[in-house]
Amino acid sequence: MSAATLPAVHLTPKPSIDGSEGQLLEVSMGPQHPSTHGVFRMDVVLDGEQVVKLKPVFGYLHRNHEKIAEQETYLGSMPYTDRLDYFCSITNNWAYALAVEKLAGIQVPERAEYIRIITGELTRLQNHACLIGFLMQDMGASGTPLMYAFREREKILDLLEALTGSRMMCNYMRFGGCRVDFPTGWLQQAQKVVEAFPRFLDEYERLLAENEILMARTQGIGVLPKELAVNAGVTGPMLRACGVNYDIRKVDKYGIYDRFSFRVPLGEHGDVYDRYMIRLLEMRESVKILQEAIRDIPSGAIMDAKTKIRGFRPKAGEAYGRIEAPKGELGFYLISDGSPNPYRYRVRPPSLINLTVLEDMCLSHNVADVVVILGSVDIVLGEVDR
Amino acid sequence: MEILLNGSPSGQLSLLIDPEHALAVAKFLRDAEHLRFDYCSNVTGIDWPGKEISVTVKTKKIVDGVEQEVEEIQKSQSAGCLEAVYHLYSMEKKHGPVILRMRTENRTDRVSLPSLTPIWRGAEFQEREIFDLYGVVFDGHPDLRRILMWDGFEDHPMRKDYVEPDDYEYEPTAHDEVLQKAKRHLNRAGWP
């Protein structure tokens, strides 16, 4: 149903078990609810406060990114990828660059691989920090936790701005490497930020991890069974909160992830609390990777000299490249017909697929929990709608 | 079933399967002990428009009373097809991808494929997306509706022969209905 044909609220009579006339209430939550990071709507059917049906509705931000990219050169659609998930533009760049590199068989120099790891993990840190802040905001803890998270995010954005020239839409990766090398003193600055980060995590954990209200609002809420998560293609922290050990950094070992020692934190119950804790633990692992990468980064070229950026025409064929983006598996599927623009360009967005199980998680919970459950999925609508 | 080669250095081969047996193949891939492809990652639609195929045929003809071999170019039109591609991985065995492809018979009137959503729920939204943007009807899909474009939208914008409207403002939008309703309402109330 389109927005115009659905009245915001209407009542449907329903016979209840004890014979008295009950009523179902159909509510349209959104499209501009503060917990939806972008324009998103849910058709929720309520029995009293309980959710009996929920259908996510999206498409409000749809720009047909895939069609645009099919009319652009391979390099030309690189800046569009930043705008998919506008929180993690660097990892979006990376996924696309990886797919093109697979398609054309391009090797990436050593230093560029390290740069990708460092910038990618910084992006993961700030994404997870923000998500936790937003989750607290959705729970009603307005202000403090989000501001603490944003304070940390600012430090990372400062770094990214010094490197790429923009704070959010970092258009940085290229096929065969990166656009520019680190400016002088950048690595030292990054090291300071990374070293200070665990202190923020400690503080955050002390503040919130054992908070009674947080535990009451999140434990046992929005439980996602393991089998359903796998079958529905849920990926990222949401999947690992259910206890499934699947991290593309470990499975595919893309880039040079096999050189770093980090663990994959796993949850047990698959509820909102586990999803929150997984993100905290993942940030600690990211800090480890960052420290190792900053310590070991070699000098050398940042671009593969043989790669032709202008007039780039890969051989006819196809490739699917995927990475572990902060929200889950972000994949790009490209088909080349030998011309300068891709014949088919497809984004596999983690946010969209993770929403498949939204109804299953929300059923029989209260309407106030829907907001919290949606917050724990971690969506960005730029990526859902493309 | 046919194995399709891939010309690019990625070397990802794919399996072209018959839509008739797709569900059985998918079920086998998911459930077989040594395969366990339990995770359907990416579902893509592709449009292959019909092409003009010209074939040179040698025929014997009588020219000026003498039999000669004449080369003739015979032109024909291929129907083209719409394709759905599934990227499968295994979370249990940690291997993959296996790439499944299915093709429709043509692009205009026989555009249906069996839905693999009953096997992998991960395909639910993506098959809806292909239905919306390419117009492939997935038989057996639990909830096949438009997903990204609005309900009043008629064409399938990702098809290669889609022509953009000159002016998007003249597309019928949901807003038009609201406007009409408001006008009726105002007239009844005796407004000008």
Side-chain angles (χ1 to χ4, degrees):
Chain A
M1 259 185 281
S2 68
T5 53
L6 184 87
V9 166
H10 66 227
L11 299 165
T12 323
K14 183 204 80 167
S16 64
I17 303 160
D18 57 351
S20 64
E21 191 91 324
Q23 279 183 323
L24 285 185
L25 183 68
E26 201 175 318
V27 182
S28 171
M29 281 180 79
Q32 270 293 19
H33 194 277
S35 73
T36 63
H37 303 168
V39 194
F40 173 67
R41 189 165 72 89
M42 287 171 282
D43 281 341
V44 192
V45 178
L46 298 174
D47 181 3
E49 263 196 89
Q50 240 177 38
V51 178
V52 290
K53 202 179 148 195
L54 184 148
K55 290 280 171 231
V57 181
F58 21 71
Y60 294 95
L61 277 177
H62 185 50
R63 297 151 289 181
N64 223 339
H65 169 64
E66 291 175 5
K67 185 93 178 172
I68 294 170
E70 282 169 19
Q71 292 159 355
E72 272 288 349
T73 57
Y74 282 88
L75 181 66
S77 50
M78 186 63 98
Y80 289 102
T81 62
D82 312 339
R83 277 125 180 106
L84 286 175
D85 175 359
Y86 37 73
F87 268 89
C88 333
S89 42
I90 294 240
T91 44
N92 297 349
N93 279 185
W94 191 356
Y96 179 52
L98 197 79
V100 175
E101 280 152 15
K102 269 193 181 173
L103 182 69
I106 299 169
Q107 292 295 319
V108 181
E110 187 94 349
R111 185 173 170 84
E113 290 280 23
Y114 273 92
I115 292 178
R116 286 181 175 190
I117 299 255
I118 292 170
T119 50
E121 291 302 321
L122 281 174
T123 308
R124 192 184 312 277
L125 282 184
Q126 60 104 352
N127 178 75
H128 283 1
C130 281
L131 183 267
I132 290 175
F134 282 131
L135 187 60
M136 296 304 140
Q137 176 104 337
D138 293 342
M139 235 171 273
S142 52
T144 317
L146 184 63
M147 285 308 134
Y148 276 26
F150 263 58
R151 183 190 63 196
E152 292 311 304
R153 179 172 183 246
E154 283 303 304
K155 291 176 191 163
I156 292 170
L157 288 191
D158 283 345
L159 283 174
L160 295 182
E161 187 186 10
L163 183 63
T164 68
S166 72
R167 293 178 77 78
M168 267 176 96
M169 308 301 173
C170 309
N171 174 21
Y172 182 59
M173 303 282 178
R174 291 288 179 270
F175 332 130
C178 310
R179 197 165 59 92
V180 287
D181 207 337
F182 292 138
T184 340
W186 193 92
L187 264 179
Q188 286 78 359
Q189 201 63 34
Q191 194 166 13
K192 266 190 212 162
V193 172
V194 170
E195 268 171 16
F197 206 84
R199 251 182 296 158
F200 154 75
L201 291 175
D202 293 342
E203 181 186 39
Y204 221 84
E205 240 181 293
R206 208 167 53 241
L207 244 169
L208 292 170
E210 307 235 323
N211 184 306
E212 264 177 63
I213 300 173
L214 176 86
M215 293 206 286
R217 285 295 306 275
T218 57
Q219 287 184 342
I221 301 291
V223 175
L224 180 61
K226 217 176 187 177
E227 296 74 33
L228 177 64
V230 172
N231 192 253
V234 170
T235 43
M238 224 174 121
L239 174 75
R240 293 190 285 275
C242 310
V244 182
N245 187 355
Y246 194 78
D247 188 321
I248 298 167
R249 292 176 291 177
K250 288 279 191 198
V251 176
D252 273 13
K253 298 190 176 66
Y254 65 93
I256 47 166
Y257 269 114
D258 50 339
R259 295 189 201 170
F260 300 96
S261 52
F262 64 101
R263 290 182 309 120
V264 180
L266 294 179
E268 245 178 88
H269 314 288
D271 56 2
V272 176
Y273 189 78
D274 276 10
R275 273 170 236 150
Y276 153 79
M277 278 311 283
I278 287 286
R279 280 167 180 124
L280 266 183
L281 294 171
E282 253 181 37
M283 281 196 273
R284 292 196 187 277
E285 300 302 319
S286 285
V287 167
K288 276 190 214 163
I289 300 174
L290 275 165
Q291 277 169 337
E292 280 184 37
I294 291 174
R295 188 190 66 208
D296 297 341
I297 184 166
S299 54
I302 54 150
M303 267 301 280
D304 180 34
K306 282 175 287 181
T307 311
K308 223 172 121 191
I309 292 289
R310 297 209 182 277
F312 176 71
R313 283 161 187 265
K315 262 201 296 184
E318 61 171 58
Y320 178 66
R322 57 172 195 165
I323 68 161
E324 181 73 33
K327 291 175 173 64
E329 174 183 327
L330 176 63
F332 280 82
Y333 176 61
L334 299 167
I335 296 183
S336 164
D337 58 351
S339 66
N341 46 336
Y343 185 80
R344 178 72 175 108
Y345 170 103
R346 152 89 186 162
V347 190
R348 188 264 185 216
S351 298
L352 173 77
I353 319 279
N354 288 358
L355 280 177
T356 311
V357 288
L358 186 64
E359 185 177 18
D360 303 71
M361 290 192 295
C362 290
L363 288 183
S364 79
H365 283 304
N366 289 349
V367 67
D369 295 327
V370 171
V371 175
V372 181
I373 293 168
L374 180 66
S376 73
V377 177
D378 190 7
I379 50 165
V380 156
L381 270 296
E383 191 177 67
V384 173
D385 294 349
R386 281 156 287 133
Chain B
M1 198 185 289
E2 194 185 330
I3 297 176
L4 295 189
L5 298 174
N6 179 2
S8 90
S10 74
Q12 292 171 341
L13 307 180
S14 47
L15 279 174
L16 180 66
I17 54 172
D18 200 349
E20 235 176 277
H21 311 297
L23 273 171
V25 172
K27 209 163 165 12
F28 170 73
L29 286 174
R30 186 191 63 178
D31 295 339
E33 205 49 55
H34 54 294
L35 298 172
R36 302 289 291 153
F37 285 99
D38 47 9
Y39 164 45
C40 175
S41 156
N42 178 39
V43 187
T44 316
I46 308 164
D47 182 14
W48 301 103
K51 275 184 206 155
E52 199 173 64
I53 308 166
S54 43
V55 189
T56 325
V57 187
K58 284 182 182 171
T59 47
K60 283 184 178 167
K61 263 190 181 175
I62 298 167
V63 184
D64 302 333
V66 187
E67 200 181 55
Q68 281 185 339
E69 234 176 44
V70 181
E71 283 191 356
E72 266 188 358
I73 296 170
Q74 285 186 346
K75 283 185 180 171
S76 61
Q77 192 77 24
S78 77
C81 65
L82 295 163
E83 194 175 55
V85 184
Y86 294 75
H87 285 76
L88 311 174
Y89 286 90
S90 171
M91 281 194 185
E92 197 184 303
K93 306 266 179 199
K94 298 199 168 41
H95 57 197
V98 155
I99 307 170
L100 286 187
R101 315 178 91 95
M102 287 191 286
R103 284 180 184 163
T104 62
E105 280 172 44
N106 58 41
R107 291 172 71 248
T108 44
D109 49 313
R110 303 286 293 276
V111 283
S112 68
L113 290 174
S115 166
L116 298 188
T117 307
I119 310 283
W120 296 287
R121 257 196 78 190
E124 184 182 338
F125 285 168
Q126 306 187 71
E127 282 182 351
R128 270 177 75 185
E129 213 174 87
I130 297 172
F131 166 70
D132 187 354
L133 303 176
Y134 285 94
V136 180
V137 179
F138 284 95
D139 299 328
H141 192 284
D143 182 23
L144 199 63
R145 290 176 294 143
R146 281 200 174 260
I147 188 166
L148 292 170
M149 309 304 286
W150 57 96
D151 287 349
F153 193 84
E154 270 168 13
D155 219 334
H156 305 295
M158 281 301 281
R159 287 205 185 185
K160 290 285 174 187
D161 52 3
Y162 173 72
V163 184
E164 284 180 40
D166 296 334
D167 190 344
Y168 283 98
E169 289 298 308
Y170 288 94
E171 284 280 300
T173 66
H175 186 73
D176 291 350
E177 282 171 38
V178 177
L179 204 67
Q180 291 303 323
K181 228 192 238 171
K183 272 187 185 159
R184 279 205 302 276
H185 177 77
L186 289 176
N187 286 342
R188 211 168 41 221
W191 285 55

